[in-house]
Amino acid sequence: MPAVPAVDPIRHPGAIVIGGGPAGLMAAEMLAAQGVPVDVYDAMPSVGRKFLMAGKGGMNITHAEAADAFLGRYGARADRIGPLLDTFDAGTLRAWVHALGIDTFVGSSGRVFPTDMKAAPLLRAWLHRLRESGVRVNVRHRWLGFTGSADGWHGLRFATRDGEVEVAARAVVLALGGGSWARLGSDGAWVPVLAARDVDVAPLRPANCGFDIEWSALFQSQHAGDPVKPVAIGVTTLDGTTLHRQGEFVISETGIEGSLVYALSAPIRDLIDANGFATITLDLAPGRSAEDVAAEVGRPRGSRSVSSHLQSRLGITGVKARLLREALSKDAMHDPVALAAAIKALPLRLVRARPIDEVISSAGGVRFEAMDGHLMLDALPGVFCAGEMLDWEAPTGGYLLTACFASGRVAGAGAAAYLQR
């Protein structure tokens, strides 16, 4: 029987964007603005699913703090994120949202939200504008990898409900997300695909995550779900820097989670990776000095119990009181010096980060050193990367979305310029 001849993939006349999150859609917008035909491919039944999930509790689009402080939120990768934000910073992002007909406001914390607090109207307006500009969206197309690269063309395989399809393009933007929330499309399946093409990829790790603590069964059953506030967390990083942040967190069945924990999750995770555990300290009375706390605890309590004494002198009750009993011995609870010290610096041993699939975002990804200033891969000319699949991380507060938008903008503009060259 004669061999069946190979079928060449369909050659796309413009650019292909793989991933329909904020970074991918922004790349598509930039390409379309330059007159480039654009097709967006996404594995999910609809685009922007993680974006919509992020907006369920109120769509925090960016942050209004000063530029230097804003940039500092990106930690070790601030030098790489800075040039991206130069093209599309928080103020530019707000103006862009307004141009979609969505008003915004600055909350008391400095976070910026749409006036209605919802993500869906913003996404609908954006998709309408993209379609008006000629962008085509192809859903239920899961990228399987490259079929080859030759003569400036990159072959791409997609799985669909009707079988596999192949398309080739000279310019490709990958915006495939990180490794968190696989059910929304960010499953990290692209990591071995790019590694096989000699792209330098840092391992994906959990970010903005909770941590496990070996609670007693009694404490777990009585306090899982309880908020702890106000409270401050202290942690000494691998390089010896002491960090101290105030806010609130939540007791979970397995440990601790919530905004204050997420803000310190990167250094805590790094300590666990290096040492197998991390010790943090809780200040259960952040508004009181150590001397004040020691004086109040040391006052004679007469026939009152320790719990009643702490409640009357310092307002420590409920889950805070139970945290002290969880961590301290009976003797320490009755030693005023030890008890006062614990109230200001109660040690908690964290043993692991929560699994990457259930955390807010991920760290790691395509290293910036593997790309040029336009986010084009050195190993694959014409292929650009954007969004959370790049090797950076940031806390919640609008910083994640802002950098995703900015990187998509840079990658899209870079792809358009590449095609023009």
Side-chain angles (χ1 to χ4, degrees):
M1 178 180 293
V4 177
V7 177
D8 289 334
I10 299 170
R11 292 196 170 191
H12 193 280
I16 287 176
V17 176
I18 306 177
L25 295 179
M26 183 58 79
E29 179 171 300
M30 294 301 294
L31 284 156
Q34 295 299 314
V36 178
V38 186
D39 269 74
V40 175
Y41 289 85
D42 195 273
M44 296 290 103
S46 59
V47 298
R49 291 204 160 195
K50 193 173 181 183
F51 179 75
L52 293 174
M53 176 63 76
K56 290 193 79 171
M59 183 72 258
N60 179 199
I61 197 76
T62 189
H63 203 288
E65 69 183 348
D68 289 346
F70 193 105
L71 183 58
R73 304 295 185 179
Y74 299 95
R77 284 307 197 182
D79 62 331
R80 298 289 185 165
I81 298 297
L84 307 183
L85 297 181
D86 287 342
T87 70
F88 199 68
D89 62 10
T92 310
L93 175 52
R94 283 189 79 184
W96 177 85
V97 172
H98 296 163
L100 287 170
I102 306 294
D103 291 331
T104 62
F105 73 97
V106 180
S108 58
S109 64
R111 298 185 180 206
V112 178
F113 302 89
T115 302
D116 63 3
M117 299 290 287
K118 297 178 180 178
L122 192 160
L123 182 60
R124 282 196 301 269
W126 191 12
L127 289 174
H128 175 75
R129 190 168 74 182
L130 287 171
R131 293 189 180 99
E132 290 289 304
S133 68
V135 174
R136 298 193 305 181
V137 176
N138 306 271
V139 296
R140 292 190 172 92
H141 280 66
R142 180 176 297 280
W143 184 54
L144 301 176
F146 296 100
T147 62
S149 299
D151 300 324
W153 291 87
H154 299 282
L156 307 161
R157 291 172 55 221
F158 295 93
T160 76
R161 291 184 297 182
D162 299 320
E164 289 189 17
V165 298
E166 294 187 16
V167 185
R170 291 189 180 277
V172 179
V173 178
L174 302 178
L176 294 158
S180 64
W181 290 89
R183 66 184 180 86
L184 301 178
S186 299
D187 58 8
W190 53 267
V191 172
V193 176
L194 293 189
R197 296 278 173 161
D198 297 323
V199 176
D200 191 7
V201 180
L204 299 181
R205 299 190 292 165
N208 288 295
C209 55
F211 295 91
D212 289 350
I213 298 173
E214 295 174 349
W215 297 129
S216 67
L218 179 62
F219 182 86
Q220 180 190 63
S221 65
Q222 291 182 342
H223 295 287
D226 286 355
V228 183
K229 59 181 180 180
V231 68
I233 291 179
V235 62
T236 301
T237 66
L238 284 173
D239 65 4
T241 302
T242 299
L243 303 176
H244 195 261
R245 299 274 179 86
Q246 184 172 333
E248 63 181 83
F249 66 85
V250 176
I251 303 295
S252 68
E253 289 188 359
T254 59
I256 57 175
E257 59 185 29
S259 58
L260 181 57
V261 177
Y262 302 155
L264 294 167
S265 63
I268 294 172
R269 179 203 62 218
D270 292 344
L271 285 167
I272 293 174
D273 287 348
N275 304 322
F277 69 95
T279 299
I280 65 171
T281 58
L282 301 184
D283 183 350
L284 300 176
R288 311 285 287 265
S289 69
E291 295 77 14
D292 183 25
V293 169
E296 294 295 341
V297 173
R299 291 180 184 274
R301 60 184 176 90
S303 62
R304 289 186 303 177
S305 67
V306 173
S307 296
S308 297
H309 187 58
L310 291 179
Q311 182 175 359
S312 65
R313 304 309 312 181
L314 292 168
I316 292 178
T317 185
V319 66
K320 285 187 176 182
R322 286 293 296 125
L323 278 166
L324 288 167
R325 294 189 178 278
E326 180 76 3
L328 299 181
S329 67
K330 184 176 180 179
D331 288 343
M333 285 294 297
H334 287 81
D335 179 342
V337 174
L339 180 57
I343 289 170
K344 292 300 290 181
L346 182 70
L348 288 184
R349 181 184 172 97
L350 313 183
V351 295
R352 69 187 67 85
R354 294 301 299 159
I356 193 170
D357 189 44
E358 69 178 51
V359 304
I360 292 175
S361 60
S362 59
V366 177
R367 298 185 194 272
F368 284 89
E369 294 78 6
M371 301 175 289
D372 68 11
H374 303 287
L375 304 183
M376 183 174 74
L377 294 171
D378 296 333
L380 292 168
V383 179
F384 299 75
C385 295
E388 199 180 326
M389 68 182 294
L390 305 182
D391 180 23
W392 63 281
E393 60 182 308
T396 57
Y399 310 104
L400 291 165
L401 271 177
T402 303
C404 283
F405 280 117
S407 63
R409 195 173 183 89
V410 169
Y418 178 82
L419 288 172
Q420 291 167 359
R421 290 197 300 272

